[in-house]
Amino acid sequence: MKRLAIVLAAAAIGLLAGCGPSRTPFHIIAGSEQKSLEPLILDFCKQQHTECRIDYKGSLDIGLMLDAEAAPEVDAIWPASSLWVEMYDSRRRVKALKSIYTTPVILGVRMDKAKDLGWVGRSVRMTDVLSAVKAHKLSFLMTSATQSNSGAAAYLSMLASTLGDGSRLDPSALQDAAAQAMVKTLLQGVARSSGSSGWLKDLYLDTAKAGQPYEAMWNYEAVIKEANDVLRSRGGSLLYAIYPAEGSTYADAPLGYVEHGQGQANRSFFDKLQAFLLSAKAQQQIASSGRRTAPGMASPPKSEADWNFDPSRTVPSIGLPEPAIISKSLTLYQEVLRRPSLTALCLDFSGSMQGKGEAQLKAAMRTLLNPSEASRSLIQWSRADHIIVIPFDATVRTVLEGDGDATSQARLMASVETETAGGGTDMYACASAAFKAMQPYLNKGYLPALVLMTDGRSERENDFAQVWRTEGHQIPVFGVTFGDADKTQLNQAADLTRARVFDGGKNLTEAFRSARGYN
Amino acid sequence: MALSRRSLVGLGVLGASAAATGGAIVFRESPIVRGLIGRSVALKGYVGGEKMAFVENPRTIAALKSSALVMTSERAGSVEQVRDPKLLATKPQFLWPSSAPLVELARRSAKVLKDEVIFNSPIVIYSWKPIAEGLIRAGIATREGAHYYVDARALIDAVLQRKSWKDLGQPDLYGRVRLTATDPNKSNSGFMFAGLAANLLSGDVATMDSLPGVLPKLTDLFQGMGFKSSSSGKVFDDYVAGGPGAQPMVVGYENQLVEWILADKDRWKRIEGAGGPAKPVALYMKPTVFSAHPLIALGPEAIPLIEALMSKPLQEIGWRDHGFRGPLGSVGAQTDPMIAGRMPDQITSVTPMPDIETMLTLLKSLS
């Protein structure tokens, strides 16, 4: 009898749990370009008395998350483009995917540069961009095409422009030597890359604030507007919007439900959230931010002729191929066409890394320095890359160099495998050694980056800024932390060099992978 | 052995009780009674994206509930739902694709207990007012009253000849004319458009004999479209979301725009009142093909669903709220004033689809 009562009580609790809203927060994974719309969502959640959590990931990460064996523990995704869902959601986990707004990826060119190039007030073709890059008159920021949607969009537009009238990506461009040479030259214009469109905008704004703005940036029309709103408020020079005449690749910002048996309450909340974002009220707020909304949903913001912004203007889109061809295009970018990387990896083998730390660091390197493992996340090296690996403790243990050839990577990995943790910590000694090792390769067309991985605090730091200024050649210094590392020093180095720090506390491999996406 | 009186009385009570119970069971199994007592049968199945709004309409749900039916529907492309073993392995009780020839395909993959065409909708091209006006200037479209008609063969030829928008009277758009359909191997509107294009290029209804002669052009037409979605509903959503720059011309069902207008009447009023190019229009192709929407019952529980969907109330919801024509292609009795006159009463120029063998051969070449 007592047992029956327990069973009945449990059943009643189960039933109640099935009826009520989920106790865990409604979890959304969004692209970084949605960040400025976060308050809109959180206000709605508050009104609905539902706790919401929004985390930001790159488009590829969202795709890989959908593709994983285990269903992701998230309720909704809001990537930049449905392209990534089409490419990776083979298990059909995403339901009710609907575009919330659209925004084309365009080239924002610093006003004085746009005037110098004679691009103000006239139609600009991708061949004009190519000529400017070739003549060393233009360089730009662009996210990694394999990690982030805005970079992919810019790259696909470049690839499309190489054949025919450029208005459609002809799959034969992937086999065409002249087409590849053209895109390779265009990508020589990349001054800095990243895995996040939002971060790229912040990088531009930071450098503009410091009086050293980059020349241009490929990004969403809406993000260029956000950047210009800040630049205008500071009284700085704006980015002039170039819409390549051949057309642009659009982001369609689709919101979709990720089904993994959460129950009806979660789904109902999602439906309400999607309906809210597509309501006239929310669409008006979204349109005011410079994003394009469907006809009749909202009045577009006023055009701003001083930077060529007119959200009512029809911007033709590039005709994109099937997802399988897009995947091949992205592999071509990573393995052949992108600007080659010059990457130095400083790996902490100090005593505190003994055990778990050493094992995880080696595991991370086995992913990074293994072509088939790395290609799963589209971060594989190419033969054109130059890789420097420096294991360190209180001193630099050795400086290993190689390229992206599989044999060369295996050799680097074999050396890393022989290292064992021990001794003190001085990441600054490693950084100095890395700058020296990179020196002969600078100004040879590489995109340089130093990745400093450490789990501790280095004692000697007083002259790092000075060393970077004299020997660092503007090389960005990314940080990867492990364990409960003190982030202060890595943050200082990243801030100084306009890079960022990745937390490897939970997953060191992921942190290295993310860092690699910025190079 | 003789039975005692008491035994006989006992048997009588038992018999009456059994009769009453049996009667109650029969009575309770009547759909109307089940509906009244709230004991509905939940049916699980796949529905083409273009009918999801109908299925999710609260009026549809209520009308089905009064017949003791609840549809638990998942969106799936019409072609994939009758062919994809992964979808059929989930044991759907019904399928609701958008084309009569697909019933034949379903029969090859599953046991069909009953099928019946519930709605009809002609295949149209969705575009934007300035583009439609350009097509008129280019001499391949006409405007008759409130309706645009386009010469389907001339439009397909223009796409195949890589004509520019400028050639088709639209100098504001850069590049070549682009027309997008869904993936014909997954979704019905693309499947129907492939059949129509095969007919037009063959000069008659395409057959196994005439198909090889037109396959190169058909392959070129579909390859040139690039990325093709697997759902007609998604293509229409993308069309309205993308506007004339991103989505200049897409293949869809006649009812989709009607449904979109009715879903938010204020939005439509704002569009009509606004300037700019973003005014959606349906181009009726001459000739076109009719998309029938047959409900296929795979489980016995789904057979009453066919009866319910054919009932007057649900047929009226289909027309009035969603623009679906009846099984014979006729318009419904009540039309929302917002869309009155928007759809031609008669679609006069219609071609039949090629037979299923020809279509399967065609699909193979387009995969």
Side-chain angles (χ1 to χ4, degrees):
Chain A
M1 197 62 196
K2 196 175 171 186
R3 188 178 291 171
L4 181 66
I6 291 169
V7 169
L8 285 174
I13 290 165
L15 279 174
L16 284 173
C19 296
S22 166
R23 264 179 252 158
T24 52
F26 188 86
H27 190 190
I28 304 168
I29 299 284
S32 64
E33 57 290 328
Q34 325 292 18
K35 179 98 182 153
S36 58
L37 298 176
E38 184 176 304
L40 189 66
I41 293 198
L42 293 184
D43 282 354
F44 175 78
C45 296
K46 206 171 164 189
Q47 279 169 21
Q48 297 289 317
H49 308 291
T50 299
E51 192 187 345
C52 292
R53 185 177 132 206
I54 309 176
D55 288 322
Y56 296 90
K57 276 183 189 276
S59 292
L60 178 78
D61 283 339
I62 296 177
L64 292 174
M65 182 183 86
L66 295 173
D67 194 38
E69 194 73 35
E73 292 288 310
V74 302
D75 297 299
I77 51 158
W78 196 12
S81 168
S82 47
L83 190 75
W84 303 87
V85 182
E86 295 281 355
M87 278 199 289
Y88 286 98
D89 186 28
S90 57
R91 295 164 208 263
R92 300 167 69 98
R93 285 181 169 136
V94 179
K95 314 286 177 195
L97 193 71
K98 272 192 184 170
S99 168
I100 303 298
Y101 64 84
T102 63
T103 183
V105 170
I106 60 168
L107 180 64
V109 182
R110 210 177 62 209
M111 194 64 78
D112 58 312
K113 189 48 115 173
K115 283 179 186 162
D116 280 355
L117 291 165
W119 288 358
V120 174
R122 80 164 177 92
S123 165
V124 175
R125 294 197 56 153
M126 199 64 94
T127 44
D128 296 318
V129 180
L130 177 73
S131 304
V133 171
K134 227 177 194 170
H136 302 288
K137 286 183 180 166
L138 181 72
S139 64
F140 42 76
L141 305 179
M142 175 177 150
T143 63
S144 160
T146 58
Q147 307 297 313
S148 153
N149 184 66
S150 68
Y155 162 67
L156 294 172
S157 299
M158 290 174 186
L159 200 55
S161 75
T162 59
L163 284 188
D165 66 352
S167 65
R168 139 184 125 90
L169 204 173
D170 188 329
S172 50
L174 274 69
Q175 273 91 41
D176 187 292
Q180 291 192 15
M182 207 173 140
V183 176
K184 205 166 183 167
T185 307
L186 273 162
L187 292 172
Q188 282 294 322
V190 175
R192 281 287 299 269
S193 187
S194 87
S196 152
S197 312
W199 189 85
L200 204 70
K201 175 198 75 177
D202 293 342
L203 173 66
Y204 185 86
L205 290 174
D206 285 351
T207 54
K209 198 174 185 178
Q212 300 167 314
Y214 285 96
E215 292 176 349
M217 165 167 69
W218 287 98
N219 217 321
Y220 303 104
E221 181 189 46
V223 174
I224 302 271
K225 176 171 163 38
E226 284 172 12
N228 275 343
D229 287 347
V230 175
L231 292 167
R232 199 189 289 280
S233 72
R234 287 185 197 155
S237 176
L238 303 183
L239 288 161
Y240 185 80
I242 298 293
Y243 300 80
E246 294 89 341
S248 297
T249 307
Y250 275 80
D252 60 349
L255 181 73
Y257 185 66
V258 182
E259 175 69 56
H260 54 90
Q262 304 97 311
Q264 192 51 43
N266 267 34
R267 177 59 198 258
S268 301
F269 178 75
F270 169 83
D271 290 340
K272 279 188 212 159
L273 173 66
Q274 193 178 58
F276 164 72
L277 287 173
L278 290 170
S279 69
K281 187 183 163 202
Q283 289 275 295
Q284 189 55 63
Q285 272 178 270
I286 291 169
S288 307
S289 71
R291 289 157 173 85
R292 292 170 180 244
T293 53
M297 289 315 303
S299 326
K302 273 194 299 189
S303 57
E304 294 170 23
D306 56 347
W307 65 276
N308 196 27
F309 171 67
D310 179 4
S312 301
R313 174 191 358 220
T314 300
V315 176
S317 72
I318 294 290
L320 289 180
E322 295 294 342
I325 305 283
I326 293 178
S327 284
K328 276 188 195 162
S329 307
L330 297 181
T331 303
L332 183 71
Y333 167 90
Q334 187 64 22
E335 294 181 353
V336 183
L337 301 180
R338 71 181 157 82
R339 197 174 154 189
S341 310
L342 168 62
T343 313
L345 302 165
C346 276
L347 308 179
D348 185 347
F349 274 95
S350 63
S352 53
M353 286 291 286
Q354 257 172 15
K356 205 170 133 193
E358 185 188 314
Q360 284 201 21
L361 176 54
K362 286 181 178 173
M365 286 303 111
R366 279 179 218 125
T367 297
L368 207 61
L369 295 172
N370 178 314
S372 64
E373 285 289 319
S375 60
R376 279 190 208 171
S377 321
L378 291 168
I379 51 162
Q380 65 270 39
W381 307 90
S382 81
R383 206 179 285 244
D385 296 323
H386 191 79
I387 313 165
I388 299 164
V389 179
I390 312 179
F392 72 93
D393 46 44
T395 58
V396 168
R397 291 185 177 185
T398 179
V399 177
L400 308 162
E401 295 197 34
D403 60 34
D405 179 69
T407 323
S408 181
Q409 288 187 57
R411 192 174 46 76
L412 291 173
M413 189 62 228
S415 299
V416 171
E417 296 282 11
T418 62
E419 297 294 333
T420 49
T425 311
D426 185 359
M427 67 173 188
Y428 299 109
C430 186
S432 283
F435 295 147
K436 279 193 189 80
M438 292 166 97
Q439 169 71 34
Y441 301 95
L442 296 171
N443 304 317
K444 287 189 177 168
Y446 290 101
L447 197 59
L450 165 58
V451 181
L452 267 182
M453 179 266 142
T454 185
D455 77 332
R457 189 174 172 80
S458 298
E459 281 155 26
R460 190 176 64 89
E461 65 169 302
N462 50 354
D463 59 347
F464 176 73
Q466 185 56 31
V467 170
W468 183 74
R469 285 193 186 101
T470 53
E471 298 166 26
H473 305 281
Q474 302 292 314
I475 294 166
V477 179
F478 293 91
V480 169
T481 61
F482 181 72
D484 49 2
D486 178 357
K487 278 190 188 175
T488 320
Q489 291 178 330
L490 286 175
N491 277 332
Q492 280 168 353
D495 287 348
L496 173 73
T497 65
R498 300 209 168 85
R500 69 184 291 185
V501 177
F502 300 93
D503 186 353
K506 283 187 190 144
N507 188 330
L508 199 53
T509 306
E510 281 299 301
F512 269 108
R513 195 174 73 70
S514 301
R516 175 82 186 101
Y518 280 64
N519 176 218
Chain B
M1 188 178 73
L3 291 171
S4 70
R5 231 176 90 190
R6 185 178 286 181
S7 303
L8 282 172
V9 170
L11 275 178
V13 170
L14 188 66
S17 161
T21 309
I25 288 168
V26 171
F27 185 63
R28 280 210 309 265
E29 288 314 305
S30 150
I32 294 165
V33 174
R34 277 207 318 259
L36 286 172
I37 63 175
R39 198 165 65 85
S40 297
V41 174
L43 297 166
K44 185 180 82 169
Y46 293 106
V47 174
E50 68 293 328
K51 291 185 290 287
M52 284 307 284
F54 169 78
V55 167
E56 288 166 358
N57 184 340
R59 299 205 315 132
T60 305
I61 293 168
L64 283 172
K65 207 162 185 189
S66 69
S67 296
L69 297 166
V70 174
M71 287 174 84
T72 309
S73 313
E74 193 173 319
R75 175 194 288 221
S78 289
V79 182
E80 60 179 345
Q81 59 178 280
V82 298
R83 282 214 304 187
D84 189 341
K86 269 190 261 169
L87 295 188
L88 291 167
T90 62
K91 302 259 178 262
Q93 289 156 302
F94 67 87
L95 304 173
W96 200 4
S98 327
S99 168
L102 294 176
V103 179
E104 184 48 40
L105 269 188
R107 279 187 215 288
R108 297 179 188 191
S109 319
K111 192 175 176 202
V112 173
L113 300 182
K114 191 176 179 186
D115 67 278
E116 198 160 332
V117 171
I118 309 294
F119 296 135
N120 261 302
S121 202
I123 296 286
V124 300
I125 289 175
Y126 284 114
S127 188
W128 305 90
K129 200 172 175 188
I131 295 176
E133 297 292 339
L135 296 179
I136 293 174
R137 284 193 293 277
I140 65 168
T142 54
R143 189 183 172 138
E144 296 169 27
H147 313 121
Y148 288 99
Y149 291 92
V150 63
D151 179 338
R153 171 70 201 249
L155 183 63
I156 288 171
D157 282 345
V159 175
L160 285 171
Q161 289 159 12
R162 308 275 189 266
K163 287 206 170 166
S164 66
W165 285 113
K166 207 171 157 187
D167 296 331
L168 291 200
Q170 189 45 256
D172 294 342
L173 277 176
Y174 176 86
R176 294 167 184 159
V177 173
R178 195 160 73 240
L179 169 65
T180 316
T182 54
D183 182 342
N185 270 293
K186 291 181 179 163
S187 149
N188 182 63
S189 56
F191 175 83
M192 302 287 294
F193 184 70
L196 173 66
N199 289 351
L200 292 169
L201 293 169
S202 304
D204 201 346
V205 178
T207 62
M208 289 298 273
D209 291 335
S210 64
L211 189 65
V214 296
L215 264 184
K217 281 190 173 180
L218 281 169
T219 315
D220 188 23
L221 179 68
F222 276 83
Q223 273 181 357
M225 289 177 189
F227 172 66
K228 292 174 281 299
S229 172
S230 58
S231 154
S232 311
K234 177 80 169 64
V235 162
F236 187 82
D237 286 348
D238 289 348
Y239 155 75
V240 286
Q247 305 284 348
M249 285 200 292
V250 303
V251 174
Y253 300 105
E254 177 197 42
N255 79 294
Q256 288 177 295
L257 181 58
V258 174
E259 189 173 61
W260 191 74
I261 293 170
L262 293 176
D264 186 345
K265 293 179 182 175
D266 289 338
R267 170 178 61 194
W268 188 250
K269 284 179 197 154
R270 286 193 296 268
I271 288 176
E272 293 210 304
K279 287 192 170 59
V281 293
L283 303 172
Y284 285 87
M285 284 183 285
K286 277 188 175 175
T288 189
V289 276
F290 252 109
S291 163
H293 297 264
L295 194 118
I296 302 172
L298 299 180
E301 320 80 20
I303 294 174
L305 182 60
I306 294 180
E307 280 166 46
L309 290 170
M310 291 300 285
S311 68
K312 205 177 164 203
L314 278 152
Q315 285 286 312
E316 273 304 328
I317 294 169
W319 167 253
R320 197 185 148 91
D321 292 4
H322 303 279
F324 284 116
R325 292 168 189 256
L328 299 173
S330 52
V331 298
Q334 296 177 1
T335 304
D336 191 295
M338 196 80 185
I339 54 158
R342 179 156 285 281
M343 294 183 287
D345 285 350
Q346 300 289 328
I347 305 291
T348 48
S349 183
V350 180
T351 168
M353 283 289 281
D355 64 44
I356 193 69
E357 289 307 327
T358 310
M359 283 309 294
L360 284 174
T361 311
L362 173 52
L363 289 189
K364 215 169 174 184
S365 307
L366 298 179
S367 63

